[in-house]
Every structure is written in structure tokens, then in C-alpha cells.
Amino acid sequence: MSLQQDEHIQKVILHILKEPDDLGRRVGFKDLTSLHREWIREMIDGEGDYTLQAHRGSYKSSCLAVAIAILMILKPKQNIIFLRKTDSDVAEMLGMVSKILRTQVIQDIVLRYWHKALVITGESMNHLSTNLWHSPMGAPQLLGLGIRSSITGKHAWYVITDDICNKDDRESRAERERTKTQYDELQNIRNKGGRIINLGTPWHKDDVFTKMPNIHKFDCYTTGLITKEQLEKLRQSMAPSLFAANYELKHIASSEVIFETPPKFTDDALKLRDGVAHVDAAYGGSDYTAFTCGRRDWDNDIMYLYGKLWHKSVDKVMDEIIDEASRLMCEPIKCEKNGDKGFLVKEFFRKGAYASGYIEDMNKNTKICTYLRKWWPKIVFLEGTDPEYIDQILDYTEHAEHDDAPDSAACVCRNLEHGYH
């Protein structure tokens, strides 16, 4: 190979390492973006263990297939063990990697970098090897296993898990414990200096992800891969608890909840005009400050709501509350004065906002079940409502850890049902 050719192939390899998403698009994954570049680079060239949590439909498995193929041709002395939930799940990934290795672009890279044609020397539903790999023990270059398979005596530089946690883990404590026990065993098959890479979507607050380190989360609101319209269709097509797990990467209890149907949304802020606002104030500790704006459409019997949630004491967010109430033209800002003797109302007035205090004499759970649950089928939220605000409502039970958002929403519904501010 001439010096010029050698310099060219080195530039190609550097480009692959720097922009692996470009290679991914060249081998058929047309939807990969600069976000996926970050994921693939971490898989092929990162340090230490790595866990990627990303929503359904984020192309994380496509990124993994590209990453495995790159590892197999650029680091062929370092074998890979790949694990999914069951043995039957493994074949799909190995088939994707095999197709990538057979593309002309990969064939050309290997020929110019290693001075030999790339040949698949062994292939089945659970293993894949190339002529770049040589094992004195006869182990495959890429071995695929179900998470419950026996791994005794096996070793690898890269141990990769992909969706080893699924809906079975959500529904069964025994399954969650089995998955965690098997995950612990993976430490024994990683070579010294090797890596464990995990991909998937969390399903339960006590699932195997509690054992996985260095977690990087990408929910449906941060990747930009799903439009608002698509998200709305997805939200309406499944139970709120499943949407939260699959797309928001959050856990919502699936039993004992009282708000079982997905929320509806509008992008028309004028629907809130001339409504009322409410603050459920936190003064430190673990509570949240919840803020709700609402207006009742009497003609169509619809309740329009907008909610914000802060894990902060109310004094730190008063200016933001005033700005939001002004933007949506909702007043007064209603504040319970049982605990602070009307201090918060005075503070709002001092800042130039119109506020009103009231004495709360209704049990919180009774109020939420009486007003918010009654209106829930007729509530439409304004786009921009905090996802955490919605989740706190959907997660509400009588024994919920946090109830600030549903309490504030229920107060607004009660005010508007009776037709007074």
C-alpha cells in the first residue's frame, strides 16, 4: 500500500470513530442523527461501564448493531457477548450485524485497513465470527445469549445487554429478582479491563437498572425523534403507566390509580384566558410547589388546565408563578392560608400580583376524588404543562408519596365547578 493510500484509510478510520452515525447511514440506517453519533461513540470508544436508557423508537438497537459491527472490524481481538431477555430475541441483533458486515462499504474498509477480504467464518442464530478473529479456545467473536442462559466459563471484553428488562419485570417481582441475579453474574465473565454496556427502557422502580452504573437518560421530550402529534397518538393508544415507562422513562403505579385514561392536550393558550390560578405551596422538605391555571368552558362543559411543578419552596418560584398567571391571564392566584395565616397572599400582593386566600376544610383525598376524578374525562391540558405535573396526577393514590399537583388541580376544578374565583 502506498503512503497516500495509507493516509487515506487512516482518515477513513478516524472519520468512523468521530462520526460513526455517518457509517450507520451508509449501511442502511437512514434515520441516525448526531444524537446517535454520541451513543455509538460511547459504545465503541468510551471508558468504563455505560448504560443508555432511551425511549421506544429511538433507534438505540440500530446504534448498537452499528457499534458491534465497528468493534468487530476495528477491534477484532476483543470478543463480544451480547445478551437479550430470551434466546429467541438474540437472533434479530445478530442478523442486523451480519447484514452490516456484508455491505460493500464495510468490505472496502476491511480490505484497505487489514489488507484482506472480510469473510464470515461462522454464523448461526446465536454466534457470528469473521476471519479477523482467532480464538485458541474456539469461542465465537460475537456470542448471543438469553439472560437466563448459562454463562459459566465464558469470558468477553465487551458484555452488552439490550432490553434484558421488559414488561415481565414490571408485572412480576420474582422476574425482577431473577433478572438482577443474572445481571450480577455478568461481572464474572467480563475480562479485566473490559466493559459492560447496557441498553434498554426501565419498567419498574426496582428493576435491574437499579444495579446498572453510569446511566444516561434520553426521554421522548429530549431526543426530538417523535413529533408532538405522534406523541399524542402514542399517549392515547396505551395506558398512562405504559406511556410513562416506554416514552418518559418514568414509573407510574399501574394498580390502585384513579386516573386511568390518558390526558388530552391543546396548543391554544387562549382557552385559559380569564381563568383562575392556584398555588399548592411548599416550604422546604420533600414537597413540591404546584401551580395550576384553569378555565371552564361552560358551553362545551370542558375544563382547560395548565400545570407547573417545582421541587422548590414557593418563595424561589413566585416570580415565575406571577409571569405564568399573567401570560395566561388567569387571576386571582388562590392560596390556602391555613398554615401561613395569609402570608403568601400578602407576598403576592407585595409583588404586584392579584391573589386571594381561602381556608381549606376538605380532606385532600376526598377533594381529589370528588372534583379532579369527576372532571378528568373532560379536562384538556395546555401544551407546555410539565410532564412531572401530569405524572404526579396519573400516579396518584390515597397513599401516594407526592400529591401536590393533583391537589392543586382539584382545587381549581372545585373553584370553577361552582363558578366563582
Side-chain angles (χ1 to χ4, degrees):
M1 179 182 291
S2 69
L3 179 60
Q4 186 177 17
Q5 289 174 318
D6 183 63
E7 289 178 349
H8 175 72
I9 191 61
Q10 290 301 327
K11 288 181 179 178
V12 170
I13 300 304
L14 287 174
H15 179 69
I16 291 173
L17 295 175
K18 185 178 180 181
E19 299 184 26
D21 55 306
D22 182 53
L23 178 65
R25 290 188 290 273
R26 289 173 182 268
V27 298
F29 298 99
K30 304 298 185 184
D31 295 311
L32 299 189
T33 69
S34 57
L35 171 66
H36 302 112
R37 176 187 308 164
E38 174 188 344
W39 297 356
I40 302 171
R41 285 177 62 178
E42 181 59 41
M43 293 177 206
I44 63 176
D45 211 28
E47 296 182 358
D49 293 347
Y50 170 67
T51 302
L52 171 64
Q53 287 186 353
H55 63 81
R56 297 292 171 187
S58 60
Y59 307 109
K60 57 184 179 292
S61 291
S62 300
C63 291
L64 179 57
V66 173
I68 290 176
I70 292 173
L71 289 172
M72 290 180 71
I73 65 170
L74 297 187
K75 301 182 181 181
K77 293 183 179 180
Q78 299 180 346
N79 65 317
I80 303 165
I81 290 180
F82 168 75
L83 299 105
R84 269 190 167 171
K85 191 66 168 178
T86 66
D87 294 307
S88 59
D89 294 331
V90 168
E92 179 185 4
M93 177 59 67
L94 268 67
M96 291 169 66
V97 174
S98 177
K99 288 182 180 179
I100 294 172
L101 294 177
R102 285 182 162 86
T103 60
Q104 192 61 51
V105 63
I106 295 293
Q107 294 285 325
D108 291 343
I109 290 170
V110 170
L111 182 62
R112 302 183 74 171
Y113 188 60
W114 293 108
H115 314 307
K116 66 168 84 173
L118 180 67
V119 178
I120 305 292
T121 57
E123 182 174 14
S124 73
M125 292 180 64
N126 68 349
H127 74 265
L128 186 65
S129 294
T130 72
N131 59 329
L132 302 178
W133 160 256
H134 299 285
S135 170
M137 304 298 292
Q141 188 174 4
L142 171 62
L143 174 64
L145 298 170
I147 189 64
R148 295 188 193 176
S149 301
S150 173
I151 58 176
T152 303
K154 295 180 174 63
H155 296 280
W157 284 96
Y158 291 90
V159 179
I160 302 174
T161 73
D162 183 24
D163 284 334
I164 61 171
C165 175
N166 64 14
K167 64 180 180 179
D168 294 335
D169 297 75
R170 176 182 179 82
E171 297 167 358
S172 168
R173 181 178 182 274
E175 182 65 23
R176 291 194 295 275
E177 294 307 312
R178 275 195 295 268
T179 304
K180 287 192 282 188
T181 298
Q182 289 296 95
Y183 180 78
D184 287 340
E185 289 297 313
L186 301 185
Q187 302 293 334
N188 298 323
I189 68 172
R190 182 215 345 228
N191 289 343
K192 185 178 180 180
R195 302 180 70 199
I196 295 179
I197 298 172
N198 307 294
L199 285 78
T201 305
W203 285 88
H204 190 275
K205 64 181 180 180
D206 193 34
D207 62 28
V208 70
F209 281 102
T210 59
K211 290 181 168 287
M212 295 178 178
N214 194 20
I215 295 178
H216 296 250
K217 287 191 175 186
F218 297 86
D219 64 26
C220 60
Y221 305 110
T222 58
T223 63
L225 298 171
I226 306 178
T227 66
K228 287 184 178 181
E229 292 74 19
Q230 291 170 328
L231 272 180
E232 184 60 21
K233 289 181 180 179
L234 288 166
R235 193 192 301 272
Q236 298 299 328
S237 70
M238 63 187 73
S241 57
L242 287 180
F243 180 84
N246 280 274
Y247 294 94
E248 297 179 315
L249 309 184
K250 295 180 179 178
H251 306 290
I252 290 180
S254 58
S255 60
E256 300 182 1
V257 295
I258 62 175
F259 303 104
E260 298 181 344
T261 57
K264 298 181 285 292
F265 292 88
T266 179
D267 60 2
D268 186 358
L270 291 177
K271 298 292 187 183
L272 275 295
R273 183 172 183 173
D274 298 327
V276 64
H278 178 273
V279 174
D280 186 289
Y283 295 94
S286 61
D287 288 338
Y288 291 75
T289 293
F291 170 68
T292 307
C293 286
R295 187 183 73 84
R296 181 178 179 181
D297 181 342
W298 290 81
D299 293 334
N300 298 296
D301 206 25
I302 295 174
M303 194 79 75
Y304 291 99
L305 298 183
Y306 171 79
K308 299 285 290 184
L309 196 64
W310 300 272
H311 204 183
K312 300 177 180 179
S313 59
V314 67
D315 59 291
K316 297 183 182 300
V317 296
M318 288 186 70
D319 290 339
E320 192 171 347
I321 288 171
I322 293 169
D323 288 344
E324 289 284 45
S326 175
R327 176 177 71 89
L328 296 172
M329 292 177 278
C330 290
E331 59 178 25
I333 302 172
K334 303 282 288 184
C335 309
E336 178 187 324
K337 58 182 184 180
N338 296 46
D340 71 356
K341 310 301 182 183
F343 173 78
L344 186 57
V345 172
K346 293 177 183 177
E347 282 297 292
F348 274 120
F349 269 109
R350 187 179 66 82
K351 286 177 172 288
Y354 174 31
S356 173
Y358 68 97
I359 297 295
E360 182 58 75
D361 57 5
M362 192 174 192
N363 173 271
K364 186 179 295 187
N365 182 62
T366 301
K367 177 174 47 178
I368 292 170
C369 291
T370 299
Y371 293 100
L372 187 56
R373 181 166 64 177
K374 171 185 175 181
W375 279 98
W376 186 251
K378 299 179 180 180
I379 289 175
V380 177
F381 287 95
L382 179 64
E383 291 280 2
T385 292
D386 285 344
E388 294 82 5
Y389 179 100
I390 298 291
D391 288 345
Q392 208 176 88
I393 293 175
L394 295 176
D395 201 21
Y396 177 76
T397 69
E398 186 175 3
H399 307 292
E401 183 178 2
H402 297 292
D403 54 19
D404 311 285
D407 185 25
S408 180
C411 287
V412 169
C413 289
R414 179 178 61 184
N415 270 269
L416 294 174
E417 176 172 318
H418 296 297
Y420 57 78
H421 290 185

